[in-house]
Amino acid sequence: NGLIWFVLPVCLVIVNDIMAYACGMSLGRKFIRRPFLSFSPNKTWEGFLGAGFFTIVFSWYASQYLAQFHWMTCPVNEFRIEPHAPLDCTPHPVFMPAQWIFPSQIFELLPRHMVRALPNVVQICSRSLVMTKQQPVFADDGMEEETATLFEQDNSGGEVMEELGPCISGDDRQVHSHFELVVQVYPIQIHTFWLALFASVVAPFGGFLASAIKRAYGLKNFAAWIPGHGGLMDRMDCQFLMALCTWVHYNTFIQLGTVSVHKLSYLYSLLSESEQDQFVQMLREHRGDV
């Protein structure tokens, strides 16, 4: 279903682990002196919160970058030794750029002068247009071709129509309607944001549990396979939780229908010979070949 669903969650956990160490060493106990975990005194609130911030930022830009490569988004159903074999497919809509309209109700909670200072935010105003008269439009041969409607921005009578558009500076006849922000994003960025949030809040508890186990048995590290990292288990404690979250998120919000040709072919191979004949017969009846 795309290598990105393996590479990106793994990288999120790695980035969170690295930034937790960096933020903890540089900012630990300088802002929050309250202990983070009693059984792991070296962990700090600054490391936990800083790691979450940088993990979310990394997920936003890394997902946009990786979504541009077919080797990351195209499903691979066979093993190839050639590292640069061509791979092409129709990208899933989640990997295609789309326009996202930021909820305008959120802007109403902020002062207008502050919202106007935000980049790419457009202030939309409404204008009252009054239909006053009909003016005929003539073609080159003098024949009446169509009728144009003239509008005036006053209240002299006639049918009133409301027009929405960007506010014009200095026009006193316009009334503020709302603020509008249209952002071009990849849908994968929104999904990865929630995965990054999980990797920052929930997945670290796998490491906390591992720390509690080591402290209970009086161990500093599980092993010495990876110098300075405490062994392979210390690298994989959060990955198991992250893999479970990615699988649930993908099958719930991305791939709503998990039936595929390759999956049906595999299930067909598990049937007995008589069941295979029955399946083929039902398939022919469904296609109307019989």
Side-chain angles (χ1 to χ4, degrees):
N1 299 320
L3 193 60
I4 190 173
W5 296 110
F6 170 77
V7 174
L8 201 53
V10 170
C11 290
L12 292 179
V13 174
I14 294 175
V15 170
N16 184 265
D17 201 15
I18 293 175
M19 297 313 300
Y21 176 80
C23 294
M25 291 295 294
S26 58
L27 303 174
R29 295 187 178 86
K30 293 184 179 180
F31 299 96
I32 305 176
R33 298 187 179 276
R34 183 186 180 90
F36 183 68
L37 290 174
S38 58
F39 54 82
S40 186
N42 291 330
K43 292 182 172 58
T44 63
W45 280 102
E46 290 83 354
F48 180 75
L49 298 176
F53 171 78
F54 285 105
T55 303
I56 292 175
V57 172
F58 171 82
S59 70
W60 186 262
Y61 293 101
S63 58
Q64 180 184 12
Y65 177 75
L66 295 178
Q68 304 175 23
F69 298 95
H70 284 172
W71 265 102
M72 285 291 166
T73 60
C74 292
V76 179
N77 299 308
E78 59 182 2
F79 178 76
R80 297 179 182 179
I81 300 179
E82 183 183 358
H84 299 290
L87 187 63
D88 193 15
C89 67
T90 301
H92 192 281
V94 77
F95 301 118
M96 302 297 293
Q99 286 188 340
W100 179 55
I101 301 178
F102 195 83
S104 60
Q105 293 82 356
I106 298 180
F107 292 130
E108 301 302 327
L109 303 176
L110 303 175
R112 291 186 182 179
H113 66 275
M114 182 183 300
V115 178
R116 293 190 188 100
L118 297 177
N120 302 324
V121 176
V122 179
Q123 185 177 7
I124 304 299
C125 292
S126 62
R127 302 178 184 86
S128 297
L129 301 180
V130 182
M131 185 173 60
T132 58
K133 60 181 178 178
Q134 303 288 335
Q135 177 178 349
V137 177
F138 298 94
D140 296 336
D141 55 2
M143 299 296 292
E144 184 175 343
E145 190 177 50
E146 58 183 1
T147 301
T149 303
L150 298 183
F151 295 94
E152 295 181 358
Q153 294 184 346
D154 56 32
N155 296 323
S156 58
E159 183 180 355
V160 179
M161 299 183 63
E162 294 291 335
E163 180 192 46
L164 292 178
C167 297
I168 301 176
S169 179
D171 190 351
D172 297 332
R173 292 169 294 185
Q174 60 188 2
V175 180
H176 169 78
S177 175
H178 63 278
F179 288 99
E180 189 173 276
L181 175 61
V182 179
V183 183
Q184 181 172 332
V185 299
Y186 288 78
I188 182 64
Q189 293 179 276
I190 307 298
H191 293 283
T192 312
F193 168 82
W194 295 109
L195 293 179
L197 197 62
F198 181 89
S200 304
V201 178
V202 181
F205 282 89
F208 302 156
L209 177 61
S211 298
I213 295 175
K214 288 187 293 184
R215 182 166 293 273
Y217 285 91
L219 300 176
K220 179 176 178 57
N221 298 314
F222 280 110
W225 290 359
I226 307 177
H229 287 268
L232 184 62
M233 183 60 188
D234 278 355
R235 293 297 88 206
M236 299 301 296
D237 47 15
C238 302
Q239 296 289 0
F240 292 124
L241 286 175
M242 194 68 214
L244 176 61
C245 173
T246 304
W247 184 86
V248 172
H249 183 92
Y250 179 85
N251 288 279
T252 304
F253 301 105
I254 307 296
Q255 191 69 20
L256 300 181
T258 57
V259 178
S260 64
V261 175
H262 297 280
K263 185 174 183 179
L264 289 177
S265 177
Y266 171 73
L267 295 176
Y268 176 80
S269 64
L270 300 179
L271 300 176
S272 62
E273 185 175 351
S274 60
E275 291 174 333
Q276 291 179 355
D277 294 338
Q278 182 181 1
F279 176 78
V280 172
Q281 181 65 24
M282 294 177 61
L283 187 61
R284 288 176 176 174
E285 294 177 357
H286 177 73
R287 292 173 54 89
D289 297 339
V290 179

